[in-house]
Coordinates of all heavy atoms in Angstrom, one line a residue:
M1 N 0.9 -1.2 0.0 CA 0.0 0.0 0.0 C 0.9 1.2 0.0 O 1.9 1.3 0.7 CB -0.9 0.0 1.2 CG -1.8 1.1 1.4 SD -3.2 1.3 0.2 CE -3.8 -0.3 0.0
E2 N 0.5 2.2 -0.8 CA 1.3 3.4 -0.9 C 1.3 4.2 0.4 O 0.3 4.3 1.2 CB 0.7 4.3 -2.0 CG 0.6 3.7 -3.3 CD -0.3 4.5 -4.2 OE1 -0.6 5.7 -4.0 OE2 -0.8 3.9 -5.2
K3 N 2.5 4.8 0.7 CA 2.6 5.6 1.9 C 1.6 6.7 2.0 O 1.1 7.0 3.1 CB 4.1 6.1 2.0 CG 4.5 6.7 3.3 CD 6.0 6.9 3.4 CE 6.3 8.3 3.4 NZ 7.7 8.6 3.5
E4 N 1.3 7.4 0.9 CA 0.4 8.5 0.9 C -1.0 8.1 1.3 O -1.7 8.8 1.9 CB 0.3 9.2 -0.5 CG 1.6 9.7 -1.1 CD 2.4 8.5 -1.8 OE1 1.9 7.7 -2.4 OE2 3.6 8.5 -1.6
V5 N -1.4 6.9 0.9 CA -2.7 6.4 1.2 C -2.8 6.1 2.7 O -3.9 6.4 3.3 CB -3.0 5.1 0.4 CG1 -4.3 4.5 0.9 CG2 -3.1 5.4 -1.1
K6 N -1.7 5.7 3.3 CA -1.7 5.4 4.8 C -1.6 6.7 5.6 O -1.8 6.7 6.8 CB -0.6 4.5 5.1 CG -0.8 3.1 4.6 CD 0.4 2.2 5.0 CE 0.2 0.8 4.5 NZ 1.3 -0.1 5.0
A7 N -1.3 7.8 5.0 CA -1.0 9.0 5.7 C -2.2 9.5 6.6 O -2.0 9.9 7.7 CB -0.5 10.1 4.8
Y8 N -3.3 9.5 6.0 CA -4.5 10.0 6.7 C -4.8 9.2 8.0 O -5.0 9.7 9.1 CB -5.8 10.0 5.8 CG -7.0 10.5 6.6 CD1 -7.2 11.8 6.9 CD2 -8.0 9.6 6.9 CE1 -8.4 12.2 7.5 CE2 -9.1 10.0 7.6 CZ -9.3 11.3 7.9 OH -10.4 11.7 8.5
N9 N -4.7 7.9 7.8 CA -4.9 7.0 9.0 C -3.8 7.2 10.0 O -4.1 7.2 11.2 CB -4.9 5.5 8.6 CG -5.3 4.6 9.7 OD1 -6.4 4.7 10.2 ND2 -4.4 3.8 10.1
S10 N -2.6 7.4 9.6 CA -1.5 7.7 10.6 C -1.8 9.0 11.3 O -1.6 9.0 12.6 CB -0.2 7.8 9.8 OG 0.2 6.6 9.2
Y11 N -2.3 10.0 10.6 CA -2.6 11.2 11.3 C -3.8 11.0 12.3 O -3.7 11.5 13.4 CB -3.1 12.3 10.3 CG -3.8 13.4 10.9 CD1 -3.0 14.4 11.5 CD2 -5.1 13.6 10.8 CE1 -3.7 15.5 12.1 CE2 -5.8 14.7 11.3 CZ -5.0 15.6 12.0 OH -5.7 16.7 12.6
K12 N -4.8 10.2 11.9 CA -5.9 10.0 12.8 C -5.5 9.2 14.0 O -6.1 9.4 15.1 CB -7.1 9.3 12.1 CG -7.8 10.1 11.0 CD -8.4 11.4 11.6 CE -9.7 11.0 12.2 NZ -10.4 12.2 12.7
K13 N -4.5 8.3 13.9 CA -4.0 7.6 15.0 C -3.5 8.5 16.1 O -3.6 8.3 17.3 CB -3.0 6.6 14.6 CG -3.5 5.3 14.0 CD -2.6 4.1 14.1 CE -1.3 4.4 13.3 NZ -0.5 3.2 13.1
L14 N -2.9 9.6 15.7 CA -2.4 10.6 16.6 C -3.5 11.3 17.3 O -3.3 11.8 18.4 CB -1.5 11.6 15.9 CG -0.2 11.1 15.2 CD1 0.5 12.2 14.4 CD2 0.7 10.5 16.2
S15 N -4.6 11.5 16.6 CA -5.8 12.2 17.2 C -6.5 11.4 18.3 O -6.9 11.9 19.3 CB -6.7 12.6 16.1 OG -6.1 13.3 15.1
Y16 N -6.7 10.1 18.0 CA -7.4 9.3 19.0 C -6.8 7.9 18.8 O -6.7 7.3 17.7 CB -8.9 9.3 18.9 CG -9.4 8.8 17.5 CD1 -9.7 7.5 17.4 CD2 -9.6 9.7 16.5 CE1 -10.2 7.0 16.1 CE2 -10.1 9.2 15.3 CZ -10.4 7.9 15.1 OH -10.9 7.5 13.9
I17 N -6.5 7.3 20.0 CA -5.9 5.9 19.9 C -7.0 4.8 19.9 O -6.8 3.9 19.2 CB -4.9 5.8 21.1 CG1 -3.8 6.8 21.0 CG2 -4.4 4.4 21.2 CD1 -2.8 6.8 22.1
D18 N -8.0 5.0 20.7 CA -9.0 3.9 20.7 C -9.7 3.8 19.4 O -10.0 4.7 18.7 CB -10.1 4.3 21.8 CG -9.5 4.3 23.2 OD1 -8.5 3.6 23.4 OD2 -10.1 5.0 24.0
G19 N -10.0 2.5 19.0 CA -10.7 2.3 17.8 C -9.8 1.8 16.6 O -10.3 1.3 15.7
N20 N -8.5 2.1 16.7 CA -7.6 1.7 15.6 C -7.2 0.2 15.9 O -6.8 -0.2 17.0 CB -6.3 2.6 15.6 CG -6.6 3.9 15.0 OD1 -6.9 4.0 13.8 ND2 -6.5 5.0 15.8
L21 N -7.3 -0.5 14.8 CA -6.8 -1.9 14.9 C -5.3 -2.0 15.1 O -4.6 -1.2 14.4 CB -7.2 -2.7 13.6 CG -8.7 -2.8 13.3 CD1 -8.9 -3.5 11.9 CD2 -9.4 -3.7 14.4
P22 N -4.8 -2.9 15.9 CA -3.4 -3.0 16.1 C -2.8 -3.5 14.8 O -3.4 -4.1 13.9 CB -3.3 -4.1 17.1 CG -4.6 -4.2 17.8 CD -5.6 -3.7 16.8
E23 N -1.5 -3.1 14.6 CA -0.8 -3.5 13.3 C -0.8 -5.0 13.1 O -0.9 -5.4 11.9 CB 0.6 -2.9 13.4 CG 1.4 -3.0 12.1 CD 0.8 -2.2 11.0 OE1 0.3 -1.1 11.3 OE2 0.8 -2.7 9.8
S24 N -0.7 -5.8 14.1 CA -0.7 -7.2 14.0 C -2.0 -7.7 13.4 O -2.1 -8.6 12.5 CB -0.4 -7.9 15.3 OG -1.4 -7.6 16.3
V25 N -3.1 -7.1 13.8 CA -4.4 -7.5 13.3 C -4.6 -7.0 11.8 O -5.1 -7.8 11.0 CB -5.6 -6.9 14.2 CG1 -6.9 -7.1 13.5 CG2 -5.5 -7.4 15.6
R26 N -4.1 -5.9 11.5 CA -4.1 -5.4 10.1 C -3.3 -6.4 9.2 O -3.8 -6.6 8.1 CB -3.5 -4.0 10.0 CG -4.3 -2.9 10.7 CD -3.6 -1.6 10.5 NE -4.1 -0.7 11.5 CZ -3.8 0.6 11.5 NH1 -3.0 1.1 10.6 NH2 -4.2 1.4 12.5
R27 N -2.2 -6.8 9.7 CA -1.4 -7.8 8.9 C -2.2 -9.1 8.7 O -2.3 -9.7 7.6 CB -0.1 -8.0 9.5 CG 1.0 -7.0 9.2 CD 2.4 -7.4 9.5 NE 2.5 -7.9 10.9 CZ 2.7 -7.1 11.9 NH1 2.9 -5.8 11.8 NH2 2.8 -7.6 13.2
D28 N -2.8 -9.6 9.8 CA -3.5 -10.9 9.8 C -4.7 -10.8 8.8 O -5.0 -11.7 8.2 CB -4.0 -11.2 11.2 CG -2.9 -11.7 12.1 OD1 -1.8 -12.0 11.6 OD2 -3.2 -11.8 13.3
L29 N -5.3 -9.6 8.8 CA -6.5 -9.4 7.9 C -6.1 -9.0 6.5 O -7.0 -8.8 5.7 CB -7.4 -8.4 8.6 CG -8.1 -8.8 9.9 CD1 -8.9 -7.6 10.5 CD2 -9.0 -10.0 9.7
N30 N -4.8 -8.8 6.3 CA -4.4 -8.3 5.0 C -5.1 -7.0 4.5 O -5.6 -6.9 3.4 CB -4.6 -9.4 3.9 CG -3.7 -10.6 4.1 OD1 -2.5 -10.4 4.5 ND2 -4.2 -11.7 3.9
I31 N -5.1 -6.0 5.4 CA -5.9 -4.8 5.2 C -5.4 -4.1 3.9 O -6.2 -3.6 3.1 CB -5.8 -3.9 6.4 CG1 -6.5 -4.4 7.6 CG2 -6.3 -2.5 6.1 CD1 -8.0 -4.6 7.5
D32 N -4.0 -4.1 3.7 CA -3.5 -3.4 2.5 C -4.0 -4.1 1.2 O -4.5 -3.4 0.3 CB -2.0 -3.5 2.5 CG -1.3 -2.6 3.6 OD1 -2.1 -2.0 4.3 OD2 -0.1 -2.6 3.6
E33 N -4.0 -5.4 1.2 CA -4.5 -6.1 0.0 C -6.0 -5.9 -0.1 O -6.5 -5.7 -1.3 CB -4.2 -7.6 0.2 CG -4.5 -8.4 -1.1 CD -4.1 -9.9 -0.9 OE1 -3.1 -10.1 -0.2 OE2 -4.8 -10.7 -1.4
L34 N -6.7 -6.0 1.0 CA -8.2 -5.8 0.9 C -8.5 -4.4 0.3 O -9.4 -4.2 -0.5 CB -8.8 -5.9 2.3 CG -10.3 -5.6 2.4 CD1 -11.1 -6.5 1.6 CD2 -10.7 -5.6 3.9
C35 N -7.8 -3.4 0.8 CA -8.0 -2.0 0.4 C -7.8 -1.9 -1.1 O -8.6 -1.3 -1.9 CB -7.2 -1.0 1.1 SG -7.5 0.7 0.8
E36 N -6.7 -2.5 -1.6 CA -6.4 -2.5 -3.1 C -7.5 -3.1 -3.9 O -7.9 -2.7 -5.0 CB -5.1 -3.1 -3.3 CG -3.9 -2.2 -2.8 CD -2.6 -2.8 -3.0 OE1 -2.4 -3.9 -3.6 OE2 -1.6 -2.2 -2.4
K37 N -8.1 -4.2 -3.4 CA -9.1 -5.0 -4.1 C -10.4 -4.3 -4.2 O -11.1 -4.4 -5.2 CB -9.3 -6.4 -3.5 CG -8.1 -7.3 -3.8 CD -8.4 -8.7 -3.4 CE -7.2 -9.5 -3.5 NZ -7.2 -10.4 -4.7
I38 N -10.8 -3.6 -3.1 CA -12.1 -2.9 -3.1 C -12.1 -1.4 -3.4 O -13.1 -0.8 -3.4 CB -12.8 -3.1 -1.7 CG1 -12.1 -2.4 -0.6 CG2 -13.0 -4.6 -1.4 CD1 -12.9 -2.4 0.7
D39 N -10.9 -0.9 -3.8 CA -10.7 0.5 -4.0 C -11.3 0.9 -5.4 O -10.7 0.5 -6.4 CB -9.3 0.9 -3.9 CG -9.0 2.3 -4.2 OD1 -10.0 3.1 -4.2 OD2 -7.9 2.7 -4.5
Y40 N -12.4 1.6 -5.4 CA -13.0 2.2 -6.6 C -13.0 3.7 -6.5 O -13.8 4.3 -7.2 CB -14.4 1.6 -6.9 CG -14.3 0.2 -7.3 CD1 -14.5 -0.9 -6.4 CD2 -14.1 -0.2 -8.6 CE1 -14.5 -2.2 -6.8 CE2 -14.0 -1.5 -9.0 CZ -14.2 -2.5 -8.1 OH -14.2 -3.8 -8.5
T41 N -12.1 4.2 -5.7 CA -12.1 5.7 -5.5 C -11.4 6.3 -6.7 O -10.7 5.6 -7.5 CB -11.4 6.0 -4.2 OG1 -10.0 5.6 -4.3 CG2 -12.1 5.4 -3.0
S42 N -11.5 7.6 -6.8 CA -10.9 8.3 -8.0 C -9.9 9.4 -7.5 O -9.5 10.2 -8.3 CB -12.0 8.9 -8.9 OG -12.8 9.8 -8.2
S43 N -9.6 9.4 -6.2 CA -8.6 10.4 -5.7 C -7.8 9.8 -4.6 O -8.2 8.8 -3.9 CB -9.4 11.6 -5.2 OG -10.1 11.4 -4.1
C44 N -6.7 10.4 -4.3 CA -5.9 10.0 -3.2 C -6.6 10.2 -1.9 O -6.5 9.4 -1.0 CB -4.6 10.8 -3.2 SG -3.4 10.2 -1.9
I45 N -7.4 11.3 -1.8 CA -8.1 11.6 -0.6 C -9.1 10.4 -0.3 O -9.3 10.0 0.8 CB -8.8 12.9 -0.7 CG1 -7.8 14.0 -0.7 CG2 -9.8 13.1 0.5 CD1 -8.3 15.4 -1.0
G46 N -9.8 10.0 -1.4 CA -10.7 8.9 -1.3 C -10.1 7.6 -0.8 O -10.6 6.9 0.0
R47 N -8.9 7.3 -1.4 CA -8.2 6.1 -1.0 C -7.7 6.2 0.4 O -7.8 5.2 1.2 CB -7.0 5.9 -1.9 CG -7.4 5.3 -3.3 CD -6.1 4.9 -4.1 NE -5.4 6.1 -4.6 CZ -5.7 6.9 -5.6 NH1 -6.9 6.6 -6.2 NH2 -5.0 7.9 -5.9
Q48 N -7.3 7.4 0.8 CA -6.9 7.6 2.2 C -8.0 7.3 3.2 O -7.9 6.6 4.2 CB -6.3 9.0 2.5 CG -5.0 9.2 1.8 CD -4.6 10.7 2.0 OE1 -5.4 11.6 2.1 NE2 -3.3 10.9 1.9
F49 N -9.2 7.8 2.9 CA -10.3 7.7 3.8 C -10.8 6.2 3.8 O -11.1 5.7 4.8 CB -11.5 8.6 3.4 CG -12.5 8.6 4.4 CD1 -12.3 9.2 5.7 CD2 -13.8 8.1 4.2 CE1 -13.3 9.3 6.6 CE2 -14.8 8.1 5.2 CZ -14.5 8.7 6.4
L50 N -10.8 5.5 2.6 CA -11.2 4.1 2.5 C -10.2 3.3 3.4 O -10.7 2.5 4.2 CB -11.1 3.6 1.1 CG -11.3 2.1 0.9 CD1 -12.7 1.7 1.4 CD2 -11.1 1.7 -0.5
Y51 N -8.9 3.5 3.3 CA -7.9 2.8 4.1 C -8.2 3.0 5.6 O -8.2 2.1 6.4 CB -6.5 3.2 3.7 CG -5.5 2.4 4.4 CD1 -5.1 1.1 4.0 CD2 -4.8 2.9 5.5 CE1 -4.2 0.4 4.6 CE2 -3.9 2.2 6.2 CZ -3.5 0.9 5.8 OH -2.6 0.2 6.4
H52 N -8.5 4.3 5.9 CA -8.7 4.6 7.3 C -9.9 3.9 7.9 O -9.9 3.3 9.0 CB -8.9 6.1 7.5 CG -9.4 6.5 8.9 ND1 -8.6 6.4 10.0 CD2 -10.6 7.0 9.3 CE1 -9.2 6.8 11.0 NE2 -10.4 7.2 10.6
L53 N -11.0 3.8 7.1 CA -12.2 3.1 7.5 C -11.9 1.6 7.7 O -12.5 1.0 8.6 CB -13.3 3.2 6.4 CG -14.0 4.6 6.3 CD1 -15.0 4.6 5.2 CD2 -14.7 5.0 7.6
L54 N -11.1 1.0 6.9 CA -10.7 -0.4 7.1 C -9.9 -0.6 8.3 O -9.8 -1.7 8.9 CB -10.0 -0.9 5.9 CG -10.8 -1.0 4.6 CD1 -10.0 -1.4 3.4 CD2 -12.0 -1.9 4.7
C55 N -9.2 0.4 8.8 CA -8.2 0.3 9.9 C -8.8 0.6 11.2 O -8.1 0.5 12.3 CB -7.0 1.2 9.7 SG -6.0 0.6 8.3
I56 N -10.1 1.0 11.3 CA -10.7 1.3 12.6 C -11.7 0.2 12.9 O -12.3 -0.4 12.1 CB -11.3 2.7 12.6 CG1 -12.4 2.9 11.6 CG2 -10.2 3.8 12.5 CD1 -13.1 4.2 11.7
D57 N -11.9 0.0 14.2 CA -12.8 -1.0 14.7 C -14.2 -0.4 15.0 O -14.6 -0.3 16.1 CB -12.2 -1.6 16.0 CG -13.0 -2.8 16.5 OD1 -13.7 -3.4 15.7 OD2 -12.9 -3.2 17.6
K58 N -14.7 0.2 13.9 CA -16.1 0.8 14.0 C -16.8 0.5 12.8 O -16.3 0.3 11.7 CB -15.9 2.3 14.3 CG -15.3 2.6 15.6 CD -15.2 4.1 15.7 CE -14.5 4.4 17.1 NZ -14.3 5.8 17.3
V59 N -18.1 0.6 12.9 CA -19.0 0.5 11.7 C -19.1 1.8 11.0 O -19.2 2.9 11.7 CB -20.4 0.0 12.1 CG1 -21.4 0.0 10.9 CG2 -20.4 -1.3 12.8
S60 N -18.9 1.8 9.7 CA -19.0 3.1 8.9 C -20.3 3.7 9.1 O -21.4 3.1 9.2 CB -18.7 2.7 7.5 OG -19.0 3.9 6.7
S61 N -20.3 5.0 9.0 CA -21.6 5.8 9.1 C -22.1 6.2 7.7 O -22.9 7.1 7.5 CB -21.3 7.1 9.9 OG -20.4 7.9 9.3
V62 N -21.6 5.5 6.7 CA -22.0 5.8 5.3 C -23.5 5.7 5.1 O -24.1 6.4 4.3 CB -21.3 4.9 4.3 CG1 -21.8 3.5 4.3 CG2 -21.3 5.5 2.9
N63 N -24.2 4.9 5.9 CA -25.6 4.7 5.8 C -26.4 6.0 6.1 O -27.5 6.2 5.7 CB -26.1 3.6 6.7 CG -25.9 3.8 8.1 OD1 -25.0 4.6 8.5 ND2 -26.6 3.1 9.0
K64 N -25.7 6.9 6.8 CA -26.4 8.2 7.1 C -26.5 9.0 5.8 O -27.3 9.9 5.7 CB -25.5 9.1 8.0 CG -25.4 8.5 9.4 CD -24.5 9.4 10.3 CE -24.3 8.8 11.6 NZ -23.4 9.6 12.4
H65 N -25.8 8.7 4.7 CA -25.8 9.4 3.5 C -26.5 8.6 2.4 O -26.3 8.9 1.2 CB -24.4 9.7 3.1 CG -23.6 10.4 4.1 ND1 -23.9 11.7 4.5 CD2 -22.6 10.0 4.9 CE1 -23.0 12.1 5.5 NE2 -22.3 11.0 5.8
E66 N -27.3 7.6 2.8 CA -28.0 6.8 1.8 C -28.8 7.5 0.8 O -28.8 7.2 -0.4 CB -28.8 5.7 2.6 CG -29.2 4.5 1.7 CD -28.0 3.7 1.3 OE1 -27.1 3.5 2.0 OE2 -28.0 3.2 0.1
R67 N -29.6 8.5 1.3 CA -30.4 9.3 0.3 C -29.6 10.0 -0.7 O -29.9 10.0 -1.9 CB -31.3 10.3 1.1 CG -32.4 9.6 1.8 CD -33.3 10.6 2.6 NE -33.7 11.7 1.8 CZ -34.1 12.9 2.3 NH1 -34.2 13.0 3.6 NH2 -34.5 13.9 1.5
L68 N -28.5 10.6 -0.3 CA -27.6 11.3 -1.3 C -27.0 10.2 -2.2 O -26.9 10.5 -3.4 CB -26.5 12.0 -0.5 CG -25.4 12.6 -1.4 CD1 -26.0 13.7 -2.3 CD2 -24.3 13.2 -0.5
I69 N -26.6 9.1 -1.7 CA -26.0 8.1 -2.6 C -27.0 7.6 -3.6 O -26.7 7.5 -4.8 CB -25.5 6.9 -1.7 CG1 -24.3 7.3 -0.9 CG2 -25.1 5.7 -2.6 CD1 -23.9 6.3 0.2
E70 N -28.2 7.4 -3.2 CA -29.3 6.9 -4.1 C -29.6 8.0 -5.2 O -29.7 7.7 -6.4 CB -30.6 6.6 -3.4 CG -30.5 5.3 -2.6 CD -31.7 5.1 -1.7 OE1 -32.7 5.9 -1.9 OE2 -31.7 4.1 -1.0
Y71 N -29.6 9.3 -4.8 CA -29.8 10.4 -5.7 C -28.7 10.4 -6.7 O -29.0 10.6 -7.9 CB -29.8 11.7 -4.9 CG -30.0 12.9 -5.7 CD1 -31.2 13.2 -6.4 CD2 -29.0 13.8 -5.9 CE1 -31.4 14.3 -7.1 CE2 -29.1 15.0 -6.7 CZ -30.3 15.2 -7.3 OH -30.5 16.3 -8.1
L72 N -27.5 10.3 -6.3 CA -26.3 10.4 -7.2 C -26.3 9.1 -8.2 O -25.9 9.3 -9.3 CB -25.0 10.4 -6.5 CG -24.8 11.8 -5.8 CD1 -23.5 11.7 -4.9 CD2 -24.6 12.9 -6.8
Q73 N -26.8 8.0 -7.7 CA -26.9 6.8 -8.6 C -27.9 7.0 -9.7 O -27.7 6.6 -10.8 CB -27.3 5.6 -7.7 CG -26.1 5.1 -6.9 CD -26.6 3.9 -6.0 OE1 -27.7 3.8 -5.6 NE2 -25.6 3.1 -5.7
K74 N -29.0 7.7 -9.4 CA -30.1 7.9 -10.3 C -29.9 9.0 -11.3 O -30.3 9.0 -12.4 CB -31.4 8.1 -9.6 CG -31.9 6.9 -8.8 CD -33.1 7.1 -8.0 CE -33.5 5.9 -7.2 NZ -34.6 6.2 -6.3
D75 N -29.2 10.1 -10.8 CA -29.1 11.3 -11.7 C -27.7 11.4 -12.3 O -26.8 11.9 -11.6 CB -29.4 12.6 -10.8 CG -29.6 13.8 -11.7 OD1 -28.9 13.9 -12.7 OD2 -30.4 14.7 -11.3
F76 N -27.6 10.9 -13.5 CA -26.3 10.9 -14.2 C -25.6 12.2 -14.3 O -24.4 12.4 -14.1 CB -26.4 10.2 -15.6 CG -25.1 10.2 -16.3 CD1 -24.1 9.3 -16.0 CD2 -24.9 11.1 -17.4 CE1 -22.9 9.3 -16.7 CE2 -23.7 11.2 -18.1 CZ -22.7 10.3 -17.7
S77 N -26.4 13.3 -14.7 CA -25.8 14.6 -14.9 C -25.2 15.2 -13.7 O -24.1 15.8 -13.7 CB -26.8 15.5 -15.6 OG -27.9 15.7 -14.7
I78 N -25.9 15.0 -12.5 CA -25.4 15.5 -11.3 C -24.1 14.7 -10.9 O -23.1 15.3 -10.4 CB -26.4 15.4 -10.2 CG1 -27.6 16.4 -10.4 CG2 -25.8 15.7 -8.8 CD1 -27.3 17.8 -10.4
R79 N -24.2 13.4 -11.0 CA -23.1 12.6 -10.7 C -21.9 12.9 -11.6 O -20.7 13.0 -11.1 CB -23.4 11.1 -10.9 CG -22.4 10.1 -10.4 CD -22.9 8.7 -10.5 NE -23.1 8.2 -11.8 CZ -24.3 7.8 -12.3 NH1 -25.3 7.8 -11.5 NH2 -24.4 7.3 -13.5
K80 N -22.1 13.2 -12.9 CA -21.0 13.5 -13.8 C -20.4 14.9 -13.3 O -19.2 15.0 -13.3 CB -21.5 13.6 -15.2 CG -20.4 13.9 -16.2 CD -20.9 14.0 -17.6 CE -19.8 14.3 -18.5 NZ -20.2 14.7 -19.8
R81 N -21.2 15.8 -13.0 CA -20.7 17.2 -12.6 C -19.9 17.1 -11.3 O -18.9 17.7 -11.2 CB -21.9 18.1 -12.5 CG -21.5 19.5 -12.1 CD -20.8 20.2 -13.3 NE -20.5 21.6 -12.8 CZ -19.3 22.1 -12.9 NH1 -18.3 21.4 -13.5 NH2 -19.0 23.3 -12.5
A82 N -20.5 16.3 -10.4 CA -19.8 16.2 -9.1 C -18.4 15.5 -9.3 O -17.4 15.9 -8.7 CB -20.6 15.3 -8.1
S83 N -18.4 14.5 -10.2 CA -17.1 13.8 -10.5 C -16.1 14.8 -11.2 O -14.9 14.7 -10.9 CB -17.3 12.7 -11.5 OG -18.0 11.7 -10.8
E84 N -16.6 15.7 -12.0 CA -15.7 16.7 -12.7 C -15.1 17.6 -11.6 O -13.9 17.9 -11.6 CB -16.5 17.5 -13.7 CG -16.8 16.7 -14.9 CD -17.8 17.4 -15.9 OE1 -18.3 18.5 -15.5 OE2 -18.1 16.8 -16.9
I85 N -16.0 18.1 -10.7 CA -15.5 19.0 -9.7 C -14.5 18.3 -8.8 O -13.5 18.9 -8.5 CB -16.7 19.6 -8.9 CG1 -17.6 20.5 -9.8 CG2 -16.2 20.3 -7.6 CD1 -18.9 20.9 -9.2
L86 N -14.9 17.1 -8.3 CA -14.0 16.4 -7.4 C -12.7 16.0 -8.2 O -11.6 15.8 -7.5 CB -14.7 15.2 -6.8 CG -15.8 15.5 -5.9 CD1 -16.6 14.3 -5.5 CD2 -15.3 16.2 -4.6
G87 N -12.8 15.8 -9.5 CA -11.6 15.4 -10.3 C -10.5 16.4 -10.2 O -9.3 16.1 -10.4
K88 N -10.9 17.7 -9.9 CA -9.9 18.7 -9.8 C -9.0 18.5 -8.6 O -7.9 19.0 -8.6 CB -10.6 20.1 -9.7 CG -11.3 20.5 -11.0 CD -12.0 21.8 -10.9 CE -12.8 22.1 -12.2 NZ -13.5 23.3 -12.1
I89 N -9.5 17.9 -7.6 CA -8.7 17.6 -6.4 C -7.6 16.7 -6.8 O -6.5 16.8 -6.2 CB -9.6 16.9 -5.3 CG1 -10.7 17.9 -4.8 CG2 -8.7 16.4 -4.2 CD1 -11.7 17.3 -3.9
K90 N -7.8 15.8 -7.7 CA -6.8 14.8 -8.1 C -5.5 15.5 -8.6 O -4.4 15.1 -8.4 CB -7.3 13.9 -9.2 CG -7.6 12.5 -8.7 CD -7.6 11.5 -9.9 CE -8.8 11.6 -10.8 NZ -8.9 10.5 -11.6
R91 N -5.8 16.6 -9.3 CA -4.7 17.3 -9.9 C -4.0 18.3 -9.0 O -3.0 19.0 -9.4 CB -5.2 18.1 -11.2 CG -5.6 17.1 -12.2 CD -6.1 17.8 -13.4 NE -7.4 18.4 -13.2 CZ -8.5 17.9 -13.7 NH1 -8.5 16.8 -14.4 NH2 -9.7 18.5 -13.5
M92 N -4.4 18.5 -7.8 CA -3.8 19.4 -6.8 C -2.6 18.8 -6.1 O -2.5 17.7 -5.9 CB -4.9 19.9 -5.8 CG -5.9 20.7 -6.4 SD -7.1 21.2 -5.1 CE -7.9 22.6 -6.0

């Protein structure tokens, strides 16, 4: 796994210790390999956050955004525009 992708999680470990999986558990679960297999993100920031979610011992709160996710799935033009705007982050 790229060092840049792990950077956000490393930062968050400094912010709060509870909830982070120990390094031995991450290795046992092959977190790096899992992240690479399920990564469909389009930016480094997205990959960093995905990796962080896999490294903490908590259930993701993505279900709070279910209505927005459904809206973006149905409306191609909004989804395309959002992708274009977020794509600019990739080049920064």
